[in-house]
Amino acid sequence: ASAVAGTKYHAAALVGVTASPLTFFDATPLGRILNRFSKDVADMDSGVLPVLVRVIMTLLKAGAVVCVIGAATPWFLLAVPFIALTYYPVSVVYQRSKRELQRTGSIVTSPLIAHVAGVIEGLASVRAYGLEESFADKHTRNVEATARVWNGKVNTNRWLLLRLSLLGGGVVSLSGCLAVSAASQGTI
């Protein structure tokens, strides 16, 4: 499934790039084009199936947990819609942030790739004119821009982890309180 998706994506990208007007190549850095063909296709090849499996497993586990807790304490089932409504906004904010960071990551990685490719192609000229330091400074700026986006991705994941941990703690506390209440009433 992943290989088929990667092949279809690559074919569509290739058609799109080859059908583009020459102004596209003037405005779009070579690194961005190469990045699309390499990283995005690799992500499709290796990432779609494992993510799909994780989503299915997570849904099955969550469903099993709700069924077990609901069987022990039926009052918990009344809280399930509210719990889902609490998780939903967190997921929306996270997905939007992640998508924007992915886009920004592609934008800042493209000049880095293009710069490295350009230096490799013109290494003799760079050395002949003594521009090693200038190219090293530009490379450092490109790497720092990429690192800032990477830090944003890491911090976004930490943000999500904190929210999910707090929400999960609330769910555990609620189910624990309901279980203690049911036990004290003798319904368990």
Side-chain angles (χ1 to χ4, degrees):
S2 294
V4 172
T7 302
K8 287 182 179 179
Y9 180 82
H10 184 270
L14 183 62
V15 167
V17 167
T18 55
S20 298
L22 290 178
T23 56
F24 169 77
F25 296 101
D26 291 337
T28 307
L30 175 64
R32 188 174 301 162
I33 297 169
L34 293 174
N35 192 21
R36 289 285 176 221
F37 277 97
S38 61
K39 185 183 178 311
D40 292 353
V41 172
D43 287 348
M44 293 288 261
D45 286 344
S46 63
V48 172
L49 189 59
V51 168
L52 184 63
V53 168
R54 271 186 274 152
V55 166
I56 291 170
M57 292 302 294
T58 301
L59 288 174
L60 289 173
K61 288 177 185 178
V65 166
V66 168
C67 288
V68 168
I69 295 173
T73 55
W75 287 105
F76 178 78
L77 296 176
L78 292 176
V80 170
F82 298 106
I83 293 168
L85 288 174
T86 305
Y87 273 96
Y88 181 73
V90 172
S91 70
V92 168
V93 169
Y94 174 74
Q95 286 297 326
R96 287 182 183 160
S97 300
K98 183 179 177 182
R99 187 180 318 115
E100 189 63 26
L101 284 168
Q102 287 292 98
R103 187 188 67 76
T104 306
S106 294
I107 289 171
V108 300
T109 303
S110 296
L112 178 64
I113 293 170
H115 183 256
V116 170
V119 168
I120 290 171
E121 283 180 22
L123 189 57
S125 299
V126 170
R127 287 184 178 162
Y129 289 107
L131 297 173
E132 294 95 339
E133 190 173 323
S134 171
F135 278 88
D137 290 343
K138 185 173 182 181
H139 180 73
T140 301
R141 287 191 303 273
N142 287 339
V143 168
E144 287 173 351
T146 304
R148 282 192 297 273
V149 173
W150 175 257
N151 286 337
K153 289 179 183 180
V154 169
N155 289 333
T156 302
N157 287 336
R158 289 178 180 165
W159 178 90
L160 178 67
L161 178 64
L162 176 66
R163 269 57 179 184
L164 292 181
S165 296
L166 290 172
L167 291 171
V171 169
V172 169
S173 298
L174 175 66
S175 62
C177 289
L178 289 173
V180 168
S181 174
S184 68
Q185 293 175 0
T187 56
I188 292 184

